[in-house]
Structure formats: C-alpha cells, structure tokens
Amino acid sequence: MEIEPPLGRYRIRLGAEVAEALGTGTPVVALESTILSHGLPRPRNLEVGAEIERTVRATGAVPATVGVLGGEIVVGLDAEQLRHLALTDGVAKASVRDLPVLAAKRGDGATTVASTAAVAAAVGIPVFATGGLGGVHRDAATTFDESADLGTLARTPIAVVCAGVKSILDVPATLERLESSGVTVLGYRTDQFPGFYLSDSGYPVGWRADEVSEIAETLRATRELKLGSGAVVVANPLPVSEQLDPALHDRVLAEGLAGLEREGVTGKDVTPYLLAHFHAATEGESLTVNTRIILRNAELAGRIAVAFAGTRTALA
Amino acid sequence: MEIEPPLGRYRIRLGAEVAEALGTGTPVVALESTILSHGLPRPRNLEVGAEIERTVRATGAVPATVGVLGGEIVVGLDAEQLRHLALTDGVAKASVRDLPVLAAKRGDGATTVASTAAVAAAVGIPVFATGGLGGVHRDAATTFDESADLGTLARTPIAVVCAGVKSILDVPATLERLESSGVTVLGYRTDQFPGFYLSDSGYPVGWRADEVSEIAETLRATRELKLGSGAVVVANPLPVSEQLDPALHDRVLAEGLAGLEREGVTGKDVTPYLLAHFHAATEGESLTVNTRIILRNAELAGRIAVAFAGTRTALA
Amino acid sequence: MEIEPPLGRYRIRLGAEVAEALGTGTPVVALESTILSHGLPRPRNLEVGAEIERTVRATGAVPATVGVLGGEIVVGLDAEQLRHLALTDGVAKASVRDLPVLAAKRGDGATTVASTAAVAAAVGIPVFATGGLGGVHRDAATTFDESADLGTLARTPIAVVCAGVKSILDVPATLERLESSGVTVLGYRTDQFPGFYLSDSGYPVGWRADEVSEIAETLRATRELKLGSGAVVVANPLPVSEQLDPALHDRVLAEGLAGLEREGVTGKDVTPYLLAHFHAATEGESLTVNTRIILRNAELAGRIAVAFAGTRTALA
Ligand SMILES: [Mn+2]
Ligand SMILES: [Mn+2]
Ligand SMILES: [Mn+2]
C-alpha cells in the first residue's frame, strides 16, 4: 500500500476571516471567481466583486470568494488577491480537473461553478452563490459538449443559488441531466425554472420552496441522509420587473448564436463571447441584469447560510 | 470545518421486524413502493403488496418495503403504512433527489428503484426486488431523458432482481448505459435480456447464472472487492408460457407510444400512462403479467438473500 | 446493519515482487493484460508482454501486469501466468463490472483500461501504462456505446499514459466526455491530443507538460487535494517519424469501418476486428506501430512512477 507523507504539500488555504468563521460556526457563503475574471468587463468586475461580498455580509454571513494564486487554492480571497484575479490577463478558467495542473504549474486561476462547489464542500462551506450554472450545450447530441458543472453537482452536497442556466444552453436537456444525476432542484417562490436574463425559462421545476427555512432544512436533510443525492440547486428568478426585455433577449440570443457559428467560436470561448455580445447588443443592459442576478443570489445564499447554521442546533 | 451535531435529525427509520432481522443476520429483501402507489390500480395494488411480502417470507427472508411517511424514510412499512401509500392521493413518486425535499416538507412518498436501492444499501440490505428498471427513453438522443435509476445503480453495490426494463424504453441504449457505468448484468437461466412483459427483449446479456448460489457469490465479490462496480442486476425473465402474447404486446406498445405523442404526455407521467394503456388495451392481462413478474422477482430475491447470508460465514 | 466477516474471501492478490515494492516505496507501474490477450496476435503478444516489463524495469520501476486467474485478481502476473493469459483461448475481456462475475465463476480474464486502473488504485499503484484509452464510439449519439473506461477514469486518481484513443472512436466526443467527467488531460511535449497510430488526432489538449517532474507533481496534487478530479491522462504521441503513414492510416480506417458494417460486427468484437484489419491491411506495420506505442508508454510511465515516488519525500 502506498505510504502517504505525514503532511501533504498540496492543500487548500483558508483566508483568516473564513478560517475563523468556520471554526466558530459563523455562516459562510462561497463565491466563484470566474464571473469576475471572465464574466464581466473591467473595471466593473472588481466593483461587482466587492458589492457581492458586501451583500453577503449584510445578511450576517461571511463571503468566501475562491480562486487560485500561484498554484495555491485560496478560500476567502483578500482585496489584493481579488484585484489580481479580476485585472490580470491570462488567468485560467479553472474547473475541477484544472486545479491539480495549476497547483503543479503554480499558475493563477479563477474557479467555475464546479471547482468552487468542490472546494467549498471540501472545507465545509455548505452554501454557494453564482449567476447561472453550466449545462448541456445546444448541439450536445452530436458534440457531447456538457459542462463539468453537472458532474460535480451530482456528487457535492452543497446548496447552489443561481438564476437557472444561461439561455445559450439547452435548458430542457440540462434539467434532464440534473434529474438523471440526482441533483435536487428547488424553485424559490416559483414553479418555473428561471431563464437567467429572463424570469422564466418556460420549463417547470419539480419542487417549490417559499421560505428560506425550507431550503435550509432540505440542505440539512441532504447532508444528514447521505443517500447520494447531489447539490441542492436553488433556482432564484429575477422579478419580472427586473428581467431583460424578453423580445430584446430573444433577438440578441439568436444573433449571438449565429455569430458563434459565423466566427467559429467553440469550447471555453463560447460563454465569454456570448456575454460580450449580449453586453454590446443590449448596450450594457445585460451587464446590469447580470449584476442584479448575482447580487440577488448572494443575498439569498447569505440568508440560506444563516438559516442553515440555525438548523444545526435545532435539537441541541 | 463544519461541526456536525451529535445526532442528526434526518435519519432512516427501520421497522421493528427489519431492525431485528438486520441485527441478527436474518436475510432481508428490500421492496419499492412506487409499483404500489403508481404502478398498479387500486385496490389490487394493496393486495399485490401483501402477496409480494408473503412471497418473500416463504423463502425465509424478511420483506422490507420502503416508503416516506410525513417526511420520514421508513424501511419495512407496516400494514397501515402500506395501506396509506397505496390508497392515498398525492403521494409523490420519490427518486433519490426528492427524499431530502420530502424530509423537509414532511411529505409522503413512494420510492423508485433508485431511491429504494440507495436507502436499502444505506441500512445494509444487499438484495432488492422490483418489476422493471428505469432506463434510457426512446427519444433520449434529443431529449436526454434517462432514468435516475441508472446513476444510482452505477454506485450502489446491491443485487436488483428485475424482468429487464419496460418495453417503452430504448432497451439497447439502456444496456449500453449499464455497461458504461459498470453495472453487472446477470441473466438468470437465460442468455437474453428479458423484455419485461416478454421473456426476451431480443438483446443478449454478457453473463448467465444458472444457480442462485452463483448470484450470491457474485454479489459477495462485488461487496468485498469494492472496485467501483455498481449493482448486480439479476435479469429474471418470465417463462415463455407466462409472458404477454408477443403480437398483442407489440400492437399495444405501438398504440401506447402513439398515444403519448397525440396527448402530449411527458416526463414522470409517461410510465403511469403507458401502464394504464397496457392495462386497458390488454383487458387486464398486462396487470396479471405485471403481478406475475413482481412475485417471481420477489421469490428469486428472497432466495438470493438467503444464499447471500450463507456466503457470509462460509469461511468462519 | 450488515455484519461483515472478519476476513473477506474475495481479495486482490499481489505478486511477491509487487508486494515488496509497495511495502518499501519502490516505484511500480501497472500494466493491462487485454492488449496481450485480445490486442496482439500470438505468439508476438507474449514477446511484447515481456518487452513491456523489461522497459518498465529499465526505468527503475517494477512492472505489475494485472489479470484474473481462476477468479483471483492478480497484480504482478509471473511469467507462467502471463503465458496462460496470452496463449489460452476463452480468456474473458474483463472490465470492472466483470470482475465480480469472474471471481464467482473462478474464470480467467484479461483486464481493460478500466479494470486495470481500478485494481491498481485499490492497491496503491499510482501510475499505469496502456496503448490507447477506450472512448465514445462513432455512432454513440444513437447507440449510446461509450467505453466503461471513461466512467472509471472519472473517479480514479491514477496517471494513465496512453497515445490518445483508438482512431476508430469519436475523438472529439471522447475529449468532451473526459472534460465533463473531470479527467485531467496533459499532453506530454505536445499541445495536440495524439491519434494513437498517428502523432496528432487533429484536436488540441488544454494543458501541456514538457517535463516528467511536472506530470508527477500534477498527480501528487490530484491525490492530495482529493477534490473529485479523476485520472491524469498523459497523452504521449509517437514521434512523427514513427507514426503510421497518415495516408495509409486513413485508407485502412475507412475500409475497416466499412467492414464492420458489412459484416455486422458490434460491441466487444469491434476492437479486435479493427486491430486485425489494421494488421492485415498494413501488412503488419500497424502491429509494429502498436508495439512501439505501448513500449514508449511503458517507458514514460516508469519515469513518472520514479518521479512521483520522489515527490513523496520532497518536504520530509
Ligand atoms: Mn464544454
Ligand atoms: Mn426522466
Ligand atoms: Mn461498448
């Protein structure tokens, strides 16, 4: 049998505030960094990063933005580290399988939904806020292009607050994959799966939760029962009054999809391309909506984390 | 790191007889409840539930029907609890991902192949009898509709006795998924995968077992080797003399599939619709055959459980 | 709860030299046996088996060829056992799900990429050399035919040195599945995924490693971080000067695929058929190239195993 060294060299580093919060049972919300490095334009991305953290704090929880610096995975980036990932060129978009490579190469990376969820769960953070999940791509029946987010969510017992999946994906196929792989999906105050920029994707969810306490109890049950169900996806739609205008959305999406094909954009370049297209074609309105989404999700995630901490001692 | 409470609030409750059997090493067979709540018409479903349990008892094993009552997962429903799930409207069809939601909502649920297997394995029951497995749907190449049963079977080291998969599914695609995900498939006294209502689906299985002892040893090897193979699917065909008339089967299946499309039936409504159609169009003969299948599977599962208990002490 | 016996009856047997090497921290490289029993013609297969082991030894590592004899899984076959698997008819091609069946039936089996990786990881061998991985078949969009290698690689933290996937498969779909399931892919001194007989499949890899030490550190990080990333696939291309002539390759592949269809060859028979066709149609040149591939991969795997053993004590 292999003999492991007494101390591994590759570990996850906790920021000081996050370490203390986890030690004392203070609620913590994990946050991804890809939205900052790859999802929003500079320097607005850095401002949004700070707003997200303030929003989490306002609920009584501690924000823990995850990223990779010089190969080290950090949970709870400080202001200087956030600035570095937000403003430096060449930061890798790092899914779970990229983390060991970055560790070995001592590279910088921004974490995706998959890698943020995996890292958060590993250090004991049960709640995570993002904008939208990755999913099944529209041409996946022939290309097999499916986000690694799905595989990680299938095995990670964490609550992920999102506004559905990006409208550039195959939404019903993504919902089927979530079902096949045992991921719980809860609509927060809705029976419909949200459509990211839109309040309603047009597809229903199986379960609805009207109260944060119900989400917290579902998460508690997932983690205590340990029956192999994966993440609890909390689908948090924008109010209709705050969504992108549906007619504008549909036109811009169609243009963007046509642009991908015309310009031969594929793989990891698709999401940044389409987000940039939405930004340009909506004259910045998509950026405003995107920011609203992540702030609303951070706020709900904070409230879930606080409620979840409360469930812990309910019978003590 | 998160500090878990000394006692979780969400646990699986064992019926008294099942608890005693597991404590003393008496063979136990897990049984699903969806076939009762969603698979068979009332009140025949309640009678069949009792017949299944008697069939298991006749082999020397204890039956453990699984269900969710007021949010609590129960292994070994008593007669009153069985009656409640069989005769009450609004009982949810609960796969693994639904169990935490039902726990939080304190709802009632009938367990599927996936959730019954996961719960049984969690409490140490190594054998499970059902009618047919879920699988890949006929239109899955575009819809991605694949049963969550497959994902759970891929990671759960339990013997599942079935008569193949329902003929409404894509049988060869289902067999490929079972192969890809490392699920062992054994034909019991056959080289052909059974076709649920029919003795032979037209597709071969890779391995055949002619003796119950061989199945029990395969299951023992799966559980001791722990190499990541999943369930041991024991494919138990109806004798040719007891199958549904093949010509009738093929006609009714074609009509049913056409009806789904015509009436726009999808998702979780498909199986109940088609079973009802088979029932009506075969004038009850499909119900008789379905009942034969589950009773035969319960009987074989009981014998496997007894044999498996014997392998435990073979070297003691 | 089930009471397990003090000693299971089904275990993995280590050859004497492998047991000693694992006990003393000597580097070990796992090797599959399907290439010997099903991949190469007799008696050349037996010679190649011996050459592979000598190649591993020359790097300072101990070879551990895996196989199943009389139902027992052996890690580190001796010369007599190797001869038996290489020269006997009726040896099963055993993936992970077949191992429990062979154990129960006391059968003989040659291990695939999946089963060799699973067994090697179970006994603490971190590096494995093969020729090519299994993957997504060309018609998988409708047949769902995908190798069980992919599922095992997704959950097994082992380095697998290969020359890509066999050109008979759907290479881009296989790369997508590796990405979706969190398998790290590193090109060794290349930015392109190799095409087995050809140096370049035409598809890029996301990461490149120019030094063996970097591969060893990536593997170390995978195993210490434990974040759910799977195998580290080390893609090791033939030098352009040693590949099969691309024009010959393309012609023979097209002929072989046509032959499959014409003769109705499917499933587990496809790979042996196509390898035999390549052998015949290239007048033995494909066999020479195939042998070069496995020897080069064995050599690189040995160097990775030696470097990996060095990373263990780097901080001691
Ligand atoms: Mn992709
Ligand atoms: Mn479905
Ligand atoms: Mn196959």
Side-chain angles (χ1 to χ4, degrees):
Chain A
M1 305 295 113
E2 188 189 5
I3 297 151
E4 290 291 332
L7 290 174
R9 287 181 297 123
Y10 295 100
R11 273 167 294 175
I12 299 169
R13 178 178 297 273
L14 301 180
E17 187 186 8
V18 170
E20 196 194 326
L22 290 172
T24 59
T26 305
V28 180
V29 171
L31 299 164
E32 47 134 323
S33 43
T34 291
I35 194 172
L36 304 180
S37 65
H38 294 72
L40 295 171
R42 299 175 193 162
R44 182 67 183 125
N45 61 345
L46 193 57
E47 296 165 22
V48 172
E51 284 175 60
I52 295 170
E53 297 210 346
R54 280 196 299 274
T55 302
V56 170
R57 283 186 201 287
T59 68
V62 170
T65 306
V66 177
V68 184
L69 288 151
E72 189 169 59
I73 301 168
V74 179
V75 178
L77 297 169
D78 65 26
E80 189 50 46
Q81 293 168 324
L82 260 180
R83 167 179 290 271
H84 179 75
L85 291 184
L87 303 183
T88 307
D89 290 335
V91 169
K93 185 176 166 186
S95 190
V96 175
R97 70 171 184 162
D98 304 307
L99 296 175
V101 183
L102 286 174
K105 288 186 184 286
R106 310 201 174 184
D108 294 335
T111 53
T112 63
V113 169
S115 53
T116 308
V119 168
V123 301
I125 301 175
V127 182
F128 164 35
T130 186
L133 305 179
V136 178
H137 287 257
R138 282 166 180 259
D139 52 3
T142 50
T143 64
F144 286 62
D145 191 359
E146 305 182 30
S147 171
D149 291 355
L150 297 172
T152 295
L153 293 179
R155 61 175 179 264
T156 308
I158 193 169
V160 182
V161 183
C162 65
V165 299
K166 293 181 188 79
S167 45
I168 59 176
L169 301 176
D170 183 333
V171 174
T174 301
L175 287 168
E176 289 289 351
R177 279 286 190 255
L178 290 170
E179 179 175 351
S180 299
S181 61
V183 175
T184 301
V185 180
L186 279 180
Y188 178 60
R189 300 195 170 173
T190 180
D191 295 305
Q192 293 295 106
F193 196 61
F196 196 68
Y197 294 122
L198 303 180
S199 306
D200 179 356
S201 69
Y203 297 90
V205 288
W207 295 105
R208 171 191 182 115
D210 286 321
E211 302 303 333
V212 165
S213 60
E214 203 178 326
I215 301 170
E217 288 293 339
T218 301
L219 178 61
R220 175 63 61 193
T222 292
R223 293 168 70 96
E224 291 187 355
L225 289 171
K226 294 186 176 70
L227 289 170
S229 63
V232 177
V233 168
V234 181
N236 184 32
L238 282 175
V240 169
S241 62
E242 296 187 21
Q243 70 180 345
L244 196 63
D245 174 58
L248 176 63
H249 169 272
D250 294 353
R251 181 172 60 74
V252 170
L253 175 60
E255 286 169 9
L257 293 172
L260 286 177
E261 194 146 329
R262 196 176 55 242
E263 303 179 29
V265 179
T266 56
K268 285 185 175 175
D269 300 326
V270 165
T271 299
Y273 174 93
L274 284 170
L275 291 177
H277 174 73
F278 264 82
H279 183 197
T282 65
E283 296 172 8
E285 178 62 12
S286 76
L287 169 60
T288 309
V289 174
N290 201 344
T291 303
R292 249 182 242 146
I293 287 172
I294 178 66
L295 292 175
R296 284 177 54 88
N297 292 348
E299 200 268 341
L300 180 57
R303 291 166 56 209
I304 294 168
V306 170
F308 181 77
T311 64
R312 188 180 296 169
T313 50
L315 286 199
Chain B
M1 304 296 112
E2 188 189 5
I3 297 151
E4 290 290 333
L7 291 174
R9 288 182 295 123
Y10 294 101
R11 273 168 294 176
I12 299 168
R13 178 178 298 273
L14 301 179
E17 186 186 9
V18 171
E20 196 195 325
L22 290 173
T24 58
T26 304
V28 179
V29 170
L31 299 163
E32 47 133 324
S33 43
T34 291
I35 195 172
L36 305 180
S37 64
H38 293 74
L40 296 171
R42 300 174 194 162
R44 182 66 183 128
N45 60 345
L46 193 57
E47 296 164 22
V48 172
E51 284 175 58
I52 295 169
E53 297 210 346
R54 279 197 299 274
T55 302
V56 170
R57 284 186 201 287
T59 67
V62 170
T65 306
V66 178
V68 184
L69 288 151
E72 189 169 59
I73 301 168
V74 178
V75 178
L77 297 168
D78 64 26
E80 190 49 48
Q81 293 169 324
L82 260 180
R83 166 179 291 273
H84 178 77
L85 291 185
L87 303 183
T88 307
D89 290 334
V91 169
K93 185 176 166 185
S95 189
V96 175
R97 70 172 185 161
D98 304 307
L99 297 174
V101 183
L102 286 175
K105 288 185 184 288
R106 310 199 174 187
D108 294 334
T111 53
T112 64
V113 169
S115 53
T116 307
V119 168
V123 301
I125 301 175
V127 181
F128 163 36
T130 185
L133 304 180
V136 177
H137 286 256
R138 283 167 178 260
D139 54 1
T142 51
T143 64
F144 286 63
D145 191 358
E146 304 182 31
S147 171
D149 291 355
L150 297 172
T152 295
L153 294 179
R155 61 174 179 263
T156 308
I158 193 168
V160 183
V161 183
C162 65
V165 298
K166 292 178 188 81
S167 46
I168 58 175
L169 301 175
D170 183 334
V171 174
T174 301
L175 287 168
E176 288 289 350
R177 278 286 191 256
L178 291 169
E179 178 175 352
S180 300
S181 61
V183 175
T184 302
V185 180
L186 280 180
Y188 179 60
R189 300 194 170 175
T190 180
D191 295 304
Q192 293 294 106
F193 196 62
F196 197 69
Y197 293 122
L198 303 180
S199 305
D200 179 355
S201 69
Y203 297 90
V205 288
W207 295 106
R208 171 191 183 114
D210 285 320
E211 302 302 331
V212 165
S213 60
E214 203 178 326
I215 300 171
E217 288 294 338
T218 301
L219 177 61
R220 175 63 61 193
T222 292
R223 292 168 71 96
E224 291 187 356
L225 289 170
K226 294 186 176 70
L227 289 170
S229 63
V232 176
V233 168
V234 180
N236 185 32
L238 281 175
V240 169
S241 62
E242 296 187 21
Q243 69 180 346
L244 196 63
D245 173 58
L248 176 63
H249 169 273
D250 293 354
R251 181 171 61 73
V252 170
L253 174 60
E255 285 170 9
L257 294 172
L260 285 178
E261 194 146 328
R262 195 175 56 241
E263 303 179 29
V265 178
T266 57
K268 286 186 174 175
D269 301 327
V270 165
T271 299
Y273 174 92
L274 284 170
L275 291 178
H277 173 73
F278 264 83
H279 183 198
T282 65
E283 296 172 8
E285 177 63 12
S286 76
L287 169 60
T288 309
V289 174
N290 201 345
T291 303
R292 249 182 241 145
I293 287 171
I294 179 66
L295 292 174
R296 284 177 53 89
N297 293 348
E299 200 268 342
L300 180 57
R303 291 166 56 210
I304 294 169
V306 170
F308 181 77
T311 65
R312 188 180 297 168
T313 50
L315 287 199
Chain C
M1 304 296 113
E2 187 189 5
I3 296 151
E4 290 292 332
L7 290 173
R9 289 182 294 125
Y10 294 100
R11 274 168 293 175
I12 299 169
R13 179 177 297 271
L14 301 179
E17 187 186 9
V18 171
E20 196 194 327
L22 290 172
T24 59
T26 305
V28 180
V29 170
L31 299 163
E32 47 134 324
S33 44
T34 292
I35 194 172
L36 305 181
S37 65
H38 294 71
L40 295 171
R42 300 175 193 162
R44 182 67 184 127
N45 61 346
L46 194 57
E47 296 164 21
V48 172
E51 283 175 60
I52 295 169
E53 296 211 346
R54 280 197 299 274
T55 302
V56 170
R57 284 186 201 287
T59 67
V62 170
T65 306
V66 178
V68 184
L69 287 151
E72 189 169 58
I73 301 168
V74 178
V75 178
L77 297 169
D78 64 27
E80 190 48 49
Q81 294 168 324
L82 259 180
R83 166 179 290 273
H84 179 75
L85 291 185
L87 303 183
T88 307
D89 290 333
V91 169
K93 185 177 166 186
S95 189
V96 174
R97 70 171 184 162
D98 304 307
L99 296 175
V101 183
L102 287 174
K105 287 184 184 289
R106 310 200 174 185
D108 294 333
T111 53
T112 64
V113 169
S115 54
T116 308
V119 169
V123 301
I125 301 175
V127 181
F128 164 35
T130 185
L133 305 179
V136 177
H137 286 256
R138 282 168 179 259
D139 53 2
T142 51
T143 65
F144 286 62
D145 191 358
E146 305 183 29
S147 170
D149 291 355
L150 296 171
T152 295
L153 294 179
R155 60 175 180 264
T156 309
I158 193 169
V160 182
V161 183
C162 66
V165 298
K166 293 178 188 80
S167 45
I168 58 176
L169 301 175
D170 183 335
V171 174
T174 302
L175 287 168
E176 289 290 350
R177 279 287 191 256
L178 291 170
E179 179 176 351
S180 299
S181 61
V183 175
T184 302
V185 181
L186 279 180
Y188 179 60
R189 300 194 171 175
T190 181
D191 295 306
Q192 293 295 106
F193 196 62
F196 196 68
Y197 293 123
L198 302 181
S199 306
D200 179 356
S201 69
Y203 297 90
V205 288
W207 296 106
R208 172 191 183 115
D210 286 320
E211 303 303 332
V212 164
S213 60
E214 204 177 327
I215 300 170
E217 287 295 338
T218 301
L219 178 61
R220 175 64 60 192
T222 292
R223 292 168 71 95
E224 291 187 355
L225 288 171
K226 294 186 177 67
L227 289 169
S229 63
V232 177
V233 168
V234 181
N236 184 33
L238 282 175
V240 170
S241 61
E242 296 187 20
Q243 70 180 344
L244 195 63
D245 174 58
L248 176 63
H249 169 273
D250 293 354
R251 181 171 61 74
V252 170
L253 174 60
E255 285 170 9
L257 294 172
L260 287 177
E261 194 145 329
R262 196 176 54 242
E263 303 180 29
V265 178
T266 56
K268 285 185 175 178
D269 301 326
V270 165
T271 298
Y273 175 92
L274 283 171
L275 290 178
H277 173 73
F278 264 82
H279 183 199
T282 65
E283 296 172 7
E285 178 62 13
S286 76
L287 168 60
T288 310
V289 173
N290 201 345
T291 303
R292 247 181 244 147
I293 287 172
I294 179 65
L295 292 175
R296 284 177 54 89
N297 292 349
E299 200 268 341
L300 180 57
R303 291 167 56 210
I304 294 169
V306 170
F308 181 76
T311 65
R312 188 181 296 168
T313 51
L315 286 198

